[in-house]
């Protein structure tokens, strides 16, 4: 497959997407993973519609950012999107052959590049234990261990959970 | 300064769209970060510092990650609520959503508040049908809670009253039924108190509900006819003002006096604001099998002054709280014993 023939298509199934002011957040329902795309990565992803070639994506991202965008930047974004499973597998192999490392891209574009280097990061954060840790009175149960009271008779007998949000 | 006082100072006004950092240092924020995260206030903490130099500090990055994750989980939770309402309505059930999204939708951003179960109120006679419906669902990733101690002696007639005053709020292309502002504020106050007020987030919810109330807010309906319950609600609103800077001018709570024991008690609770601190430490049944653990398990169930007062329907005044705590404790132990005995009879033990 030649570079012109590669028309990446972003995955759209099984994702929850939230756009914030300067980043896009993506939750992968199949893998239970959350990702944060900076603006450049998000633009590449959004223009990966299966119709645009790499050069066309670069041009469209350039239009949005108001600066010339090198194809190397698009490849770097695709590489990261692919690692995060946000591109279908078929594109992955091609991306692997063409992509450059972040260091190579920075060297090629220069440190003062007008467009930010694309970054896709995993979101990892501790969350409050939100749900009740045991079942309160009346909740269906199969064993006493599930109930706050320790008593199960089809439903929990007595006891109350620790305080849901 | 105690961690809980620092946390109260830091969270002042954090629910407002204009929220901005207090003058906490990075070291102070580092000190209270575990409490903020474990209590579910991590997203609100990020909101407070997002325009301050602290936002680029490691503690700021950690809080921002929480905000991001909560934003995504909130979007997922909203989809679940929409699906749930669609399913219920297909079965001719009309639930009322309480807590959770019902109050979170009043915050200025999606990632500010975490979610737990989906709390629904139904006509008591419809509950079995709703539970059967949920049990048939293939998707078991979310949990629905129909059990709400806040509504004592809940009967169909009370549901009809709540329904008559309820409102529909848009969520995407769905209409979600929630309580009236008045009923919901009362419900949130009593929920906070019944659980001993240990989550600062619950008090933020009260502040949001009070500040976002409509001009025609009916205080008479919110406070109700029972002076004891009205006192609880007023005290909770006053707490939101005293501890978190909620604007309560032109409300009946503005002139309400808090009993002296209440605010120190809430701050004491906020020293341990994680769910793990408030879950029963060991199941009573397990303790019964290991008698040496029983004393510890029973001691850990000594109720706090706030929840004991509510459960014993005691007014918030200057009288000591220990009699209510003791009475509540005895009642719970007795109730548990009765249930244990009836279970033994049922299973021929």
């Amino acid at each position: 497959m030649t570079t012109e023939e590669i028309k990446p298509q972003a995955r759209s199934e099984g994702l929850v997407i939230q756009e914030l002011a300067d980043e896009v957040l993506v939750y992968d329902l199949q893998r239970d993973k959350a990702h944060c795309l900076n603006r450049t990565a998000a633009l590449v992803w959004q223009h990966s519609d299966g119709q645009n070639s790499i050069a066309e994506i670069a041009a469209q991202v350039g239009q949005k950012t108001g600066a010339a965008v090198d194809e190397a930047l698009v490849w770097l974004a695709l590489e990261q999107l692919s690692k995060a499973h946000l591109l279908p597998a078929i594109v992955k192999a091609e991306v692997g052959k063409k992509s450059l490392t972040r260091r190579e891209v920075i060297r090629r574009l220069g440190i003062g590049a007008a467009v930010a280097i694309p970054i896709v990061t995993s979101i990892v954060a501790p969350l409050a234990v939100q749900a009740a840790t045991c079942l309160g009175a009346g909740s269906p149960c199969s064993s006493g261990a599930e109930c706050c009271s320790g008593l199960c008779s089809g439903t929990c007998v007595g006891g109350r959970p620790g305080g849901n949000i | 300064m105690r961690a809980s006082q620092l946390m109260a100072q830091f969270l002042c006004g954090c629910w407002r769209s204009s929220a901005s950092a207090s003058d906490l240092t990075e070291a102070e924020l580092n000190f209270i970060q575990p409490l903020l995260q474990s209590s579910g206030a991590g997203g609100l903490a990020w909101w407070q510092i997002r325009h301050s130099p602290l936002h680029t500090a490691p503690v700021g990055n950690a809080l921002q990650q929480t905000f991001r994750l909560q934003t995504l989980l909130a979007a997922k939770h909203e989809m679940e609520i929409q699906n749930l309402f669609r399913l219920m309505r297909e079965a001719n059930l009309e639930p009322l959503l309480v807590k959770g999204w019902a109050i979170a939708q009043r915050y200025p951003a999606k990632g500010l508040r975490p979610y737990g179960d989906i709390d629904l109120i139904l006509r008591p006679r419809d509950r079995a049908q709703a539970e059967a419906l949920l049990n048939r669902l293939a998707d078991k990733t979310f949990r629905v809670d129909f059990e709400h101690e806040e509504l004592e002696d809940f009967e169909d007639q009370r549901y009809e009253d709540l329904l008559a005053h309820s409102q529909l709020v848009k969520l995407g292309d769905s209409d979600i039924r929630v309580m009236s502002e008045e009923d919901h504020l009362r419900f949130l106050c009593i929920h906070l108190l019944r659980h001993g007020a240990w989550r600062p987030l619950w008090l933020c919810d009260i502040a949001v509900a009070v500040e976002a109330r409509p001009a025609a807010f009916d205080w008479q309906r919110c406070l109700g006819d029972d002076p004891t319950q009205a006192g609880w609600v007023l005290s909770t609103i006053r707490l939101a003002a005293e501890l978190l800077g909620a604007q309560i001018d032109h409300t009946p709570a503005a002139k309400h006096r808090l009993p002296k024991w209440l605010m120190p008690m809430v701050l004491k609770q906020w020293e341990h604001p994680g769910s793990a601190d408030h879950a029963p430490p060991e199941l009573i049944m397990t303790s019964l099998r290991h008698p040496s653990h029983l004393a510890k398990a029973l001691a850990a169930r000594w109720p706090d002054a706030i929840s004991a007062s509510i459960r014993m329907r005691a007014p918030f005044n200057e009288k000591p709280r220990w009699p209510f705590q003791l009475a509540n404790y005895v009642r719970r132990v007795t109730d548990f014993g009765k249930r244990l005995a009836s279970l033994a009879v049922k299973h021929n033990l």
Side-chain angles (χ1 to χ4, degrees):
Chain A
M1 199 182 272
T2 65
T3 305
E4 291 74 30
E5 285 169 334
I6 298 173
K7 293 180 176 177
Q9 182 160 23
R11 192 182 134 201
S12 57
E13 293 293 305
L15 300 175
V16 175
I17 301 162
Q18 289 292 296
E19 291 187 30
L20 299 185
D22 48 7
E23 60 194 22
V24 170
L25 309 176
V26 184
Y27 191 85
D28 185 338
L29 292 166
Q30 287 161 10
R31 291 178 174 78
D32 263 334
K33 299 263 185 208
H35 307 283
C36 175
L37 284 54
N38 76 350
R39 185 157 184 253
T40 311
L43 285 170
V44 170
W45 194 53
Q46 283 158 353
H47 287 99
S48 297
D49 58 0
Q51 306 293 318
N52 292 321
S53 67
I54 303 300
E56 285 166 337
I57 294 173
Q60 285 169 350
V61 174
Q63 259 183 357
K64 293 271 181 181
T65 55
V69 169
D70 193 292
E71 284 183 32
L73 207 71
V74 177
W75 282 116
L76 179 61
L78 291 174
E79 161 88 9
Q80 294 185 64
L81 291 165
S82 154
K83 276 185 185 160
H85 301 282
L86 298 177
L87 292 173
I90 194 159
V91 182
K92 262 186 184 174
E94 294 302 325
V95 169
K97 289 180 213 162
K98 309 279 181 187
S99 62
L100 303 168
T101 64
R102 190 176 303 181
R103 187 173 296 175
E104 285 166 337
V105 172
I106 292 171
R107 197 162 50 227
R108 190 158 151 182
L109 301 179
I111 289 172
V115 179
I117 297 292
I119 299 174
V120 178
T121 51
S122 289
I123 303 174
V124 182
L127 283 177
V129 180
Q130 292 151 14
T133 48
C134 52
L135 300 172
S139 304
C141 58
S142 52
S143 77
E146 296 170 20
C147 304
C148 299
S149 61
L151 298 176
C152 174
S153 179
T155 56
C156 292
V157 182
R160 59 197 170 92
N164 189 20
I165 292 181
Chain B
M1 194 185 281
R2 284 163 65 188
S4 55
Q5 287 172 307
L6 211 52
M7 193 156 56
Q9 183 190 321
F10 175 71
L11 289 175
C12 257
C14 63
W15 57 88
R16 298 183 188 127
S17 51
S18 60
S20 61
S22 61
D23 46 9
L24 245 64
T25 64
E26 187 177 342
E28 287 171 325
L29 187 53
N30 274 322
F31 177 52
I32 59 170
Q33 187 211 347
L35 299 186
L36 292 166
Q37 299 272 29
S38 64
S39 69
L44 285 164
W46 161 251
W47 196 247
Q48 281 290 62
I49 61 160
R50 71 196 192 283
H51 298 310
S52 89
L54 283 173
H55 86 276
T56 52
V59 64
N61 290 332
L63 294 171
Q64 186 176 19
Q65 289 288 67
T66 299
F67 174 78
R68 285 171 172 151
L69 191 53
Q70 284 184 182
T71 300
L72 285 169
L73 293 178
K76 183 170 169 266
H77 188 81
E78 288 179 353
M79 286 161 52
E80 291 166 351
I81 292 172
Q82 287 176 286
N83 286 337
L84 193 57
F85 267 75
R86 185 179 47 73
L87 278 169
M88 293 274 173
R89 283 176 178 150
E90 280 170 5
N92 291 320
L93 299 171
E94 186 65 14
L96 285 163
L97 181 74
V98 288
K99 304 189 287 177
W101 184 83
I103 185 64
Q105 44 113 3
R106 310 307 298 259
Y107 282 83
K110 211 172 262 190
L112 297 182
R113 198 188 182 287
Y115 293 95
D117 301 346
I118 298 176
D119 293 290
L120 296 183
I121 293 175
L122 277 171
R123 249 180 225 101
R125 68 178 147 92
D126 289 341
R127 202 172 133 176
Q129 186 193 346
E131 282 172 352
L133 181 73
L134 292 179
N135 285 335
R136 286 198 300 271
L137 281 184
D139 180 5
K140 306 275 188 204
T141 54
F142 58 91
R143 224 159 64 182
V144 180
D145 189 359
F146 294 111
E147 188 77 29
H148 301 292
E149 292 179 317
E150 293 80 1
L151 299 167
E152 285 179 343
D153 306 320
F154 191 59
E155 291 168 353
D156 286 359
Q157 196 182 346
R158 180 92 175 90
Y159 169 85
E160 302 302 343
D161 177 54
L162 292 174
L163 185 68
H165 287 84
S166 69
Q167 50 186 331
L168 290 169
V169 181
K170 275 272 173 224
L171 172 56
D173 54 4
S174 305
D175 288 314
I176 305 301
R177 190 168 291 283
V178 298
M179 280 180 174
S180 69
E181 310 274 351
E182 292 85 357
D183 291 334
H184 201 212
L185 176 55
R186 183 182 60 251
F187 187 95
L188 291 171
C189 289
I190 295 175
H191 174 258
L192 173 147
L193 298 171
R194 283 193 84 95
H195 287 290
W198 56 264
R199 257 188 221 281
L201 182 71
W202 290 331
L203 203 57
C204 294
D205 287 347
I206 304 300
V208 170
V210 171
E211 291 192 2
R213 74 190 187 281
F217 189 86
D218 181 353
W219 281 104
Q220 179 59 47
R221 178 162 179 92
C222 176
L223 299 175
D225 299 327
D226 175 358
T228 300
Q229 184 172 280
W232 298 341
V233 173
L234 289 173
S235 292
T236 313
I237 296 169
R238 183 80 209 183
L239 270 174
E242 297 282 336
L243 286 171
L244 299 176
Q247 292 292 331
I248 61 164
D249 298 344
H250 313 298
T251 74
K255 289 180 182 163
H256 184 76
R257 281 186 61 187
L258 287 178
K260 287 194 182 74
W261 56 270
L262 185 56
M263 204 151 73
M265 186 65 220
V266 173
L267 288 171
K268 187 180 166 202
Q269 293 282 73
W270 286 11
E271 292 289 320
H272 306 282
S275 291
D277 302 314
H278 297 272
E282 183 174 22
L283 298 176
I284 285 286
M285 285 303 281
T286 314
S287 311
L288 289 175
R289 285 193 286 272
H290 304 280
S292 61
H293 298 190
L294 189 57
K296 196 177 161 192
L298 289 173
R301 283 169 170 76
W302 179 252
D304 64 86
I306 300 170
S307 63
S309 299
I310 300 299
R311 286 167 197 279
M312 298 312 295
R313 298 205 55 78
F316 279 3
N317 53 29
E318 298 301 344
K319 287 186 180 164
R321 295 293 108 182
W322 68 263
F324 304 115
Q325 290 171 271
L326 182 61
N328 180 235
Y329 190 74
V330 169
R331 181 201 276 179
R332 282 169 53 201
V333 169
T334 310
D335 286 351
F336 184 77
K338 282 181 191 165
R339 288 193 191 108
L340 196 62
S342 69
L343 204 60
V345 169
K346 188 176 169 185
H347 294 280
N348 296 320
L349 296 174

